[in-house]
Structure formats: C-alpha cells, structure tokens
Amino acid sequence: MKLINITKSLAAVLLSVGMIMTSCSTDWPSYSPTSGDVTFQASAGSFTLSGTPVTVTLQRGSASSAEAIPVTLTDKNKVFTMASTTANFTEGSYTTDVQLTYTSSALTPGKAYAFTLAIDATKVAPGAISSTFTGTALLPFVWSDYGTLSLVGSSFWDDGDVPDSYVLQTDKRTNNWYKIKNLYGGGTDAIFGVDTSTGDVTFTSPASSTYNGEEVTRFLTSCISSKYGAFSCLIRAASTGKGPFIARAASYPLPLGAYLITYNWMVVNAGYFGNFQDNFRVTALK
C-alpha cells in the first residue's frame, strides 16, 4: 500500500511540473522577409546566343505585394540592352526575370561578351545568394559549305608542296565570317572575318601569336623537308601593316572570283625563309 501511495505522489508531482512547463512556454518570433528582400538565383552564368533575349532570374522571400527593384547593367562592349531597368515582381509572384536584348549582326561569332547585373544592396535578402550576377554570352558559329578556295599564286610554294584547293565555309548568321578547312594541309582550320567596308581580314582561329615582334596567325603545313623539317606559315596581321585582305569583292558574301591575299613569314624550327605572298581565289560556289 505504501508503494502505491508513493507512485501516486510521484505522478502528481510530474503532472504539476508538466503544467508549469506548459504554462511557461513561449512562441518565439520567426523571421519573415519582406517583399523588398531579393536576390539573384545565381551569382554567375553563361549563355549561348541564338537571337532570343538573355534571361536572368531574381527571387524574393515574400509575394504579398507588387514590387519594382532597380537593376543596373554594366556592359563594356555595349552590346546588350535591358528591356526594363527594374525587376518587376507581381503580387503573388516569388520570381521575375530581367531580359537583355542584342543585335546578332553586331556581334563577333566565337567571341565571349561579359556583362554584370546588380541590384541595390539595401534590397538584398539576408543570406542572399548574390546582389550581382556576372554573365558571359557567346554567339556560336553555324557553318555551312559555301564553295572552294584555291591557292592560285605563291611566291614561295612549289607545285605539290601544299594542297591547291580547300573547302570554304560561311557562317549562316552573317555574310562576313568564313572558315577554310585544313589550310596548308597541316590539320588546322582557319576562321577569319572580313570588314566589308575595307576588305581587311582578321583571323581569329587559331589564336594569334607573335613572331619577330609581329602579330601573326600560325599554321603548320603539310610541307616537310628532309633537310629543314616541317614548315609553318605565319600569316601577318593587320597590325603589321601587311595584313591579309580581300580583293575583287564588290559585295558579300564572297562572290565567285574574289581573292584572299596574305603576307606570310615562312619558318622552320631552325629559322625563317623570309616574307612571301599567297593569293587565294574563290573558284567555285555551292
């Protein structure tokens, strides 16, 4: 009987303690962000341009009301335009997009264009991903066969040293970017753009290097000498004053009969053979 009484007494004490603990519990306030607290969904991203706008998404913590957040664009190349200078959240929406437009014909295919978007730091949510977004956008080449480019004259090469003709491709989006497949037979494709107002040519691939302090584009050739080894052709750039150019092209894309003239250093591992000229001609169109 005493054991039962002790058990009952203990139960009563525990019940009393439980009531005290329950009556003293507190509903602690939890943080609830306001509609003005925003962030970019990512701090960086890359885009392949296809003619449609570049879209960057922002998010916020509360959607109780509409909100317009100022956004600034930094674009040193000045190729992008914001459709709106604010990120506009509608009531009930937790996300919104900022769109950047551009003109494809004003861009250089294969070149990366960087930009930065930023929102007011005072509007950024605590623990936000980022108050800035850094983007890189690239307009890819879309190649299609265009015709045949033939080596019709050279002050260096003898017959059979290098191929006489090459597949010429053009970029579908533009009328002034071309690719020469396997130029000089060394396994490297040449990509070049033409300034249609002057005819000046700029090779962008392979990447430029230097030789004798000059900017050049280097091509290994299929010409291999038993005495000197493999020859390389270094096409001199416009910055040398003897850059490549297009002749006899009244319109673009390149017409039948147009010429590509290049000035080259011909070199081997042991040294160079001097400066020479190659004349290429568009001899067939698809």
Side-chain angles (χ1 to χ4, degrees):
M1 294 296 293
K2 289 183 179 180
L3 179 60
I4 294 175
N5 289 336
I6 292 173
T7 303
K8 287 182 178 180
S9 299
L10 180 60
V13 170
L14 291 175
L15 179 60
S16 299
V17 171
M19 292 178 64
I20 293 173
M21 292 179 66
T22 301
S23 62
C24 292
S25 65
T26 303
D27 293 329
W28 298 104
S30 60
Y31 174 72
S32 178
T34 67
S35 60
D37 289 338
V38 297
T39 181
F40 286 100
Q41 282 192 338
S43 60
S46 59
F47 304 87
T48 298
L49 303 178
S50 60
T52 57
V54 171
T55 299
V56 180
T57 302
L58 295 90
Q59 66 186 41
R60 61 178 179 170
S62 174
S64 59
S65 63
E67 186 80 10
I69 305 297
V71 180
T72 58
L73 167 66
T74 301
D75 171 22
K76 68 177 183 179
N77 294 294
K78 301 186 184 303
V79 298
F80 297 106
T81 302
M82 283 197 296
S84 172
T85 57
T86 58
N88 299 307
F89 292 92
T90 59
E91 183 178 348
S93 175
Y94 289 91
T95 62
T96 191
D97 294 330
V98 172
Q99 291 192 331
L100 305 179
T101 59
Y102 53 91
T103 302
S104 295
S105 60
L107 304 181
T108 300
K111 177 180 177 180
Y113 292 91
F115 66 89
T116 301
L117 296 173
I119 54 179
D120 186 347
T122 63
K123 295 290 187 179
V124 178
I129 297 171
S130 182
S131 62
T132 61
F133 178 90
T134 301
T136 303
L138 179 74
L139 181 70
F141 289 105
V142 182
W143 298 113
S144 63
D145 287 350
Y146 182 69
T148 301
L149 189 71
S150 299
L151 179 62
V152 295
S154 176
S155 59
F156 181 80
W157 300 117
D158 292 326
D159 290 343
D161 284 345
V162 293
D164 293 329
S165 61
Y166 306 90
V167 173
L168 181 65
Q169 296 183 324
T170 186
D171 174 50
K172 288 183 177 181
R173 291 198 181 97
T174 65
N175 68 351
N176 64 325
W177 282 93
Y178 302 90
K179 178 193 286 187
I180 308 171
K181 300 286 289 182
N182 193 29
L183 182 59
Y184 293 114
T188 303
D189 297 338
I191 296 176
F192 67 92
V194 183
D195 184 331
T196 57
S197 62
T198 65
D200 291 338
V201 168
T202 300
F203 283 89
T204 60
S205 181
S208 63
S209 58
T210 58
Y211 184 78
N212 282 348
E214 291 187 353
E215 182 183 2
V216 297
T217 303
R218 182 182 296 266
F219 294 92
L220 184 67
T221 77
S222 58
C223 182
I224 300 177
S225 166
S226 59
K227 182 177 181 179
Y228 300 110
F231 281 82
S232 290
C233 178
L234 313 184
I235 297 180
R236 302 171 73 183
S239 59
T240 68
K242 296 288 285 185
F245 65 94
I246 297 295
R248 298 186 184 179
S251 61
Y252 291 87
L254 289 173
L256 188 67
Y259 282 86
L260 167 64
I261 312 297
T262 66
Y263 299 100
N264 322 311
W265 292 108
M266 301 307 307
V267 302
V268 291
N269 288 337
Y272 71 97
F273 284 79
N275 183 51
F276 299 89
Q277 177 178 329
D278 284 346
N279 300 333
F280 298 89
R281 189 178 184 217
V282 179
T283 53
L285 298 178
K286 289 292 184 180

